[in-house]
Amino acid sequence: MKIEVIPAEKSQKSVLMQLMELYNHDLSEYTKEDVNEHGLFGYSYIDLYWIEERRYPFFIKVDGCFAGFVLVGTGRHYSTNENAHCIAEFFIMLKYRRMNVGEFAARYVFDLFAGEWEVRVLSANKPALPFWRKVITKYTNGNHIFHPEPTPDWDGVGYVFIA
């Protein structure tokens, strides 16, 4: 099995948006979001990934097939470092879960952007909580800061660590 993490080009925005719809569909179980009048969840920040500095969109592929995506950004809730990177969005299609695809992709982007990282997980997203705990603990050999408390604008937990 060949896993790749490759930059998403602006010309591939429609592919990323289709994958984003699958992601938001899965996430709606936890966010309680509904589709809009066009039957779409949408993602209002997508264009910023080709406009703003320090935002990076990536596709995750397995054996040449789209398997998910990872959006790297700079939003912070727990880190005090204004240059910290964060996982803004992370999605692995159901077919590819529990095959180390997600761990590979996470480690790949952590290695790609050295420095401080923040990873946040919605409290309600119970399946994601152990995934990120395992990946980050393994990646950092336990050398990370775990924030179990929500912030005023984030209902979840967070990890801060150095890659």
Side-chain angles (χ1 to χ4, degrees):
M1 177 172 65
K2 181 181 178 188
I3 305 169
E4 298 174 281
V5 179
I6 59 172
E9 302 297 329
K10 189 170 186 177
S11 64
Q12 298 172 301
K13 181 175 114 173
S14 64
V15 176
L16 184 56
M17 286 303 298
Q18 293 301 318
L19 292 172
M20 184 66 71
E21 287 299 310
L22 297 173
Y23 166 71
N24 282 324
H25 170 268
D26 285 3
L27 208 56
S28 70
E29 178 179 359
Y30 313 112
T31 64
K32 307 303 182 202
E33 295 291 321
D34 287 311
V35 296
N36 63 23
E37 65 276 7
H38 304 290
L40 300 170
F41 288 99
Y43 187 71
S44 58
Y45 305 107
I46 197 68
D47 288 318
L48 299 178
Y49 284 87
W50 293 282
I51 296 171
E52 289 187 357
E53 290 184 26
R54 302 192 65 233
R55 287 188 188 253
Y56 308 95
F58 295 94
F59 287 121
I60 302 164
K61 288 188 162 189
V62 174
D63 295 331
C65 297
F66 290 105
F69 62 82
V70 56
L71 302 182
V72 175
T74 59
R76 298 180 335 243
H77 291 270
Y78 298 101
S79 174
T80 57
N81 181 345
E82 67 183 35
N83 294 313
H85 293 287
C86 76
I87 299 289
E89 311 293 346
F90 189 89
F91 175 63
I92 304 296
M93 291 173 55
L94 187 58
K95 172 182 177 177
Y96 298 104
R97 293 180 192 167
R98 293 174 186 78
M99 297 172 63
N100 293 322
V101 173
E103 181 175 351
F104 178 93
R107 294 175 70 87
Y108 183 91
V109 295
F110 296 157
D111 287 346
L112 194 58
F113 300 102
E116 188 163 297
W117 274 87
E118 176 178 295
V119 175
R120 295 180 310 277
V121 186
L122 282 172
S123 295
N125 190 349
K126 301 298 183 202
L129 293 168
F131 167 80
W132 285 110
R133 180 176 54 246
K134 179 187 101 173
V135 168
I136 293 168
T137 299
K138 193 171 165 182
Y139 183 81
T140 65
N141 292 316
N143 190 16
H144 61 271
I145 299 169
F146 175 63
H147 297 271
E149 319 83 26
T151 66
D153 56 348
W154 175 252
D155 183 19
V157 302
Y159 295 88
V160 176
F161 59 94
I162 304 295

